[in-house]
Amino acid sequence: MRPGIIMDEKIKMAHGGGAAASRRLIEQVFLKYFDNKILRGMDDSAELPPCKGRLAFTTDSYVASPVEFPGGNIGKLAVCGTVNDLSVKGANPKWLSAAFILEEGLETALLERILAAMRDAANEAGVLIVTGDTKVVERGKADKIFITTAGVGEIPEGINISAANAKPGDAIIISGPLGAHGVALMNARHNLGIKSDIKTDSAPLNKLAAAAAQNGATVMRDITRGGLCAALNEIADAANVAIELDETLVPVEADVAAACALLGLDPLDIANEGRLIAFVPQQKSAQTLAAMRAVRYGEKAVIAGTVVSSGKAVVELKTKAGGRRILRLPEGEQLPRIC
Amino acid sequence: MRPGIIMDEKIKMAHGGGAAASRRLIEQVFLKYFDNKILRGMDDSAELPPCKGRLAFTTDSYVASPVEFPGGNIGKLAVCGTVNDLSVKGANPKWLSAAFILEEGLETALLERILAAMRDAANEAGVLIVTGDTKVVERGKADKIFITTAGVGEIPEGINISAANAKPGDAIIISGPLGAHGVALMNARHNLGIKSDIKTDSAPLNKLAAAAAQNGATVMRDITRGGLCAALNEIADAANVAIELDETLVPVEADVAAACALLGLDPLDIANEGRLIAFVPQQKSAQTLAAMRAVRYGEKAVIAGTVVSSGKAVVELKTKAGGRRILRLPEGEQLPRIC
């Protein structure tokens, strides 16, 4: 710590320069939120305790706009998203890295709110942020803040979760109502003035995913960009199976459904940040569903579809009107920069 | 693969949307360069083979401007930088993640040149890029391309490299001439017209670092942002020792020295992307130096300083003129966006 020199109210280019100002930013801001023994080592790499068994490794960049929205901010997304990517692989998320690209002029107070949300999400998930990096680019060369997290988790013995596992007869469980994150973010971005208290669903799903994996789930995905439609298509392709989804069973809260109708959005295509799907053999589906409902963020889990056959990769929707249609990957970009 | 629809010549917002266009970008561009069995799994996380012993974990974002410069591009930096952060911890780099933030309108051909450089650097270092992510932001909300890599490596039994290990009597080895990366990048950025063939020093240093660690090095750092000055100050602080650096022994090539004089830059403060320092107890220093010189990128290694005492963290320079001065962390930002 350099006593006497306090942190600036706004981020300057020098905060990314690797010298005195960088150090002040790290010591006075980042370490205030992320302090732990491994991070304190401040070497070029963090040394992790010995790990048992197989590891899962993942990364995501977060460029959400706006960076703050009802129920969360880009920092919460960055921690929960990587926790969830590890969790749906059946891993226990353990260690996270966090790399920041800051736009010159970013308010330090906003950065601190984002870091506080990261700390809170990491605490809830039981993960440590053990290594990081900060770069600063000139005003107009980024959009306030981009965050990239990577994560390492341990896959317990006997757990083998993969999209390729999907088999005819599997029940498809959706962990909770869809679409809230997308609507909350669009409302905040465009000042749509939709009067509602719709909040992002962003949440760490590691305990929920562990409950599913320990009770029979063989395939899991978190339903992010591309929504349920993309997640189901990816699984159908990976396992070469036909999936049937029953639209009347897909959970969407009434206020989200109303907002989607107003905005011309389909809840099946919207990104969520705290929802997952789990595939489970039919005979275990009641057990898995009960286990998921007993865990936070899984209370409203439902079975909404099945794997009907193998040999052809397709996702079919039984519509509310009683018809059937193929659910294809949307071609364009419905909701840019949603995560 | 979606036959019949070919990749666009420029990146569009839809390429970050998680649906059909995203998939084309991944299948037709990214997998062309990064294909391997783990990445092919295309699950939310990569599953790594069982690992032995302790792990090292690190991350860095790369925002270099311009993105191409003599001897390399931002992709080469992104792979080598993370390989090197693992290497100077004494780890064998094994697995990398790569997350891309692309600006709408980026030329696909430029992206491919960057990916090709990443592939080549990963091949040279013997690491696999096993997981990744791509986001796209609107034109003017980023600067062509930002890349964040994270890396996981294995620390061999008996290797314990840490800045805190520095002890009085240690010799300080610099692995090669300083300053080339900074000068190459500034020359490219500003069309300075310095007639020279100065190229970035960007290189994967894992074999060099392993040779140093196996032959007595107890402290290593790669000399990136903040230059040699910042690296030595960090070590002095971490170990609470006084370091003496002999300016006449610090290796700087003549053309780089001339360019620095012209630009008003100090080679001691400039980022390198393929240089490291190693601290080694005096009695082993000849062995370590010989081992480093026998490895690629270490041919010009020299001993340029010593740890003189403990109890006070300070870095002192014996100048070419015969004087002495304290080397402090520079306060401002000499070279923004150099990596």
Side-chain angles (χ1 to χ4, degrees):
Chain A
M1 187 76 80
R2 297 287 178 278
I5 304 188
I6 60 161
M7 181 63 202
D8 304 276
E9 286 179 16
K10 295 194 174 188
I11 296 298
K12 298 175 177 172
M13 290 303 292
H15 289 118
S22 285
R23 217 154 128 163
R24 274 200 298 281
L25 175 64
I26 292 169
E27 290 176 347
Q28 294 183 35
V29 179
F30 283 97
L31 287 179
K32 185 156 90 183
Y33 296 95
F34 293 163
D35 201 8
N36 63 65
K37 201 179 141 200
I38 301 177
L39 186 66
R40 270 272 161 196
M42 298 289 279
D43 273 319
D44 290 295
S45 296
E47 183 179 326
L48 307 181
C51 67
K52 297 175 208 102
R54 298 163 297 154
L55 294 179
F57 182 32
T58 192
T59 192
D60 264 323
S61 287
Y62 294 85
V63 298
S65 171
V67 298
E68 298 183 294
F69 38 82
N73 63 36
I74 192 172
K76 185 178 185 182
L77 294 183
V79 169
C80 294
T82 287
V83 163
N84 294 347
D85 278 340
L86 294 169
S87 302
V88 295
K89 186 76 185 167
N92 296 322
K94 302 275 284 181
W95 305 287
L96 259 53
S97 66
F100 298 84
I101 298 172
L102 308 180
E103 183 187 9
E104 181 187 19
L106 177 73
E107 288 179 18
T108 307
L110 171 57
L111 175 61
E112 295 209 28
R113 290 196 298 277
I114 290 167
L115 299 178
M118 295 181 76
R119 173 199 59 200
D120 293 346
N123 284 347
E124 184 182 349
V127 297
L128 288 181
I129 295 168
V130 293
T131 189
D133 182 49
T134 307
K135 296 291 192 299
V136 181
V137 298
E138 303 87 345
R139 205 181 289 263
K141 298 295 185 184
D143 195 4
K144 290 194 172 76
I145 179 170
F146 300 143
I147 306 175
T148 303
T149 47
V152 174
E154 293 177 346
I155 305 175
E157 187 89 29
I159 299 290
N160 287 290
I161 306 290
S162 174
N165 292 339
K167 283 192 180 55
D170 284 354
I172 300 171
I173 300 172
I174 302 176
S175 69
L178 302 184
H181 174 70
V183 170
L185 197 120
M186 290 301 278
N187 200 11
R189 185 186 300 171
H190 295 301
N191 292 311
L192 296 177
I194 297 174
K195 281 203 202 292
S196 81
D197 53 359
I198 299 173
K199 292 188 173 67
T200 175
D201 46 56
S202 173
L205 300 180
N206 47 326
K207 294 180 185 73
L208 177 64
Q214 289 158 12
N215 285 280
T218 59
V219 178
M220 290 193 283
R221 283 264 162 176
D222 57 335
I223 318 173
T224 56
R225 271 187 300 176
L228 180 62
C229 173
L232 290 177
N233 269 285
E234 286 169 17
I235 295 167
D237 278 1
N240 198 30
V241 294
I243 288 171
E244 188 178 274
L245 184 70
D246 188 335
E247 193 174 20
T248 61
L249 300 179
V250 173
V252 182
E253 300 281 11
D255 53 354
V256 171
C260 282
L262 197 67
L263 298 170
L265 297 173
D266 187 336
L268 298 181
D269 293 337
I270 302 180
N272 310 271
E273 292 292 330
R275 298 290 179 252
L276 60 79
I277 46 175
F279 285 42
V280 55
Q282 198 63 55
Q283 71 277 13
K284 282 201 173 176
S285 61
Q287 176 191 334
T288 312
L289 185 64
M292 290 175 67
R293 284 185 173 167
V295 175
R296 191 172 181 198
Y297 308 123
E299 301 90 343
K300 297 182 179 178
V302 295
I303 294 174
T306 51
V307 179
V308 291
S309 61
S310 66
K312 188 183 176 199
V314 63
V315 181
E316 208 171 14
L317 183 72
K318 278 171 58 181
T319 67
K320 284 176 184 163
R324 304 179 77 88
R325 67 178 170 93
I326 304 292
L327 273 188
R328 288 202 176 79
L329 283 184
E331 180 53 39
E333 170 61 300
Q334 262 204 327
L335 291 177
R337 298 183 61 191
I338 201 166
C339 59
Chain B
M1 186 78 77
R2 297 286 177 279
I5 305 188
I6 60 161
M7 181 63 202
D8 305 275
E9 285 178 18
K10 294 194 175 189
I11 296 297
K12 299 175 176 171
M13 290 303 292
H15 289 119
S22 284
R23 217 154 127 162
R24 275 199 298 282
L25 175 64
I26 292 169
E27 290 176 349
Q28 295 184 33
V29 180
F30 283 97
L31 286 179
K32 185 155 90 182
Y33 297 94
F34 294 163
D35 201 8
N36 63 64
K37 201 180 140 199
I38 300 177
L39 186 66
R40 270 273 161 196
M42 299 286 281
D43 272 321
D44 290 295
S45 296
E47 182 177 326
L48 307 180
C51 68
K52 299 175 205 104
R54 298 164 296 154
L55 294 179
F57 181 33
T58 192
T59 191
D60 263 325
S61 286
Y62 295 85
V63 299
S65 171
V67 298
E68 297 183 295
F69 38 82
N73 62 36
I74 193 171
K76 184 176 186 183
L77 294 183
V79 168
C80 294
T82 287
V83 162
N84 294 348
D85 278 340
L86 294 170
S87 301
V88 295
K89 185 76 185 168
N92 297 323
K94 303 275 283 183
W95 305 288
L96 258 54
S97 66
F100 298 83
I101 297 172
L102 309 180
E103 184 187 9
E104 180 187 20
L106 177 73
E107 288 179 17
T108 307
L110 172 56
L111 175 61
E112 295 209 29
R113 291 196 296 278
I114 291 168
L115 298 179
M118 294 181 77
R119 174 199 59 200
D120 294 345
N123 284 347
E124 184 182 348
V127 297
L128 288 181
I129 295 169
V130 292
T131 189
D133 181 50
T134 307
K135 296 289 193 301
V136 181
V137 299
E138 303 86 345
R139 206 180 287 262
K141 298 296 186 182
D143 196 4
K144 291 195 171 75
I145 179 169
F146 300 143
I147 305 175
T148 302
T149 47
V152 174
E154 292 177 344
I155 305 175
E157 188 89 27
I159 299 289
N160 287 289
I161 306 290
S162 173
N165 292 340
K167 284 194 179 54
D170 285 353
I172 299 171
I173 300 172
I174 302 176
S175 69
L178 302 185
H181 174 71
V183 170
L185 197 120
M186 290 300 278
N187 200 11
R189 185 185 301 171
H190 296 302
N191 292 311
L192 295 176
I194 297 174
K195 284 207 203 283
S196 80
D197 54 359
I198 299 174
K199 291 188 173 70
T200 176
D201 46 55
S202 174
L205 301 180
N206 46 326
K207 294 180 184 73
L208 177 64
Q214 288 158 11
N215 285 281
T218 59
V219 178
M220 290 192 283
R221 286 261 161 178
D222 56 335
I223 318 172
T224 57
R225 271 186 301 176
L228 181 61
C229 174
L232 290 177
N233 268 284
E234 285 169 16
I235 295 167
D237 278 2
N240 199 28
V241 295
I243 288 170
E244 189 179 274
L245 183 71
D246 188 334
E247 192 173 20
T248 61
L249 300 179
V250 174
V252 182
E253 301 281 12
D255 53 355
V256 171
C260 283
L262 198 66
L263 298 171
L265 297 172
D266 186 336
L268 298 181
D269 294 336
I270 301 181
N272 311 271
E273 292 293 329
R275 299 290 178 252
L276 61 78
I277 46 175
F279 285 43
V280 56
Q282 197 64 55
Q283 71 276 11
K284 283 201 171 176
S285 60
Q287 176 191 335
T288 312
L289 186 63
M292 289 175 67
R293 283 184 174 168
V295 176
R296 190 171 181 198
Y297 308 122
E299 301 89 343
K300 297 182 178 178
V302 295
I303 294 174
T306 51
V307 179
V308 290
S309 62
S310 65
K312 189 186 176 195
V314 63
V315 181
E316 207 170 15
L317 183 73
K318 279 171 60 182
T319 67
K320 285 176 184 164
R324 304 179 77 87
R325 68 179 171 95
I326 304 292
L327 273 188
R328 289 200 176 78
L329 284 184
E331 180 55 38
E333 170 61 300
Q334 263 204 325
L335 290 177
R337 299 184 57 192
I338 201 164
C339 59

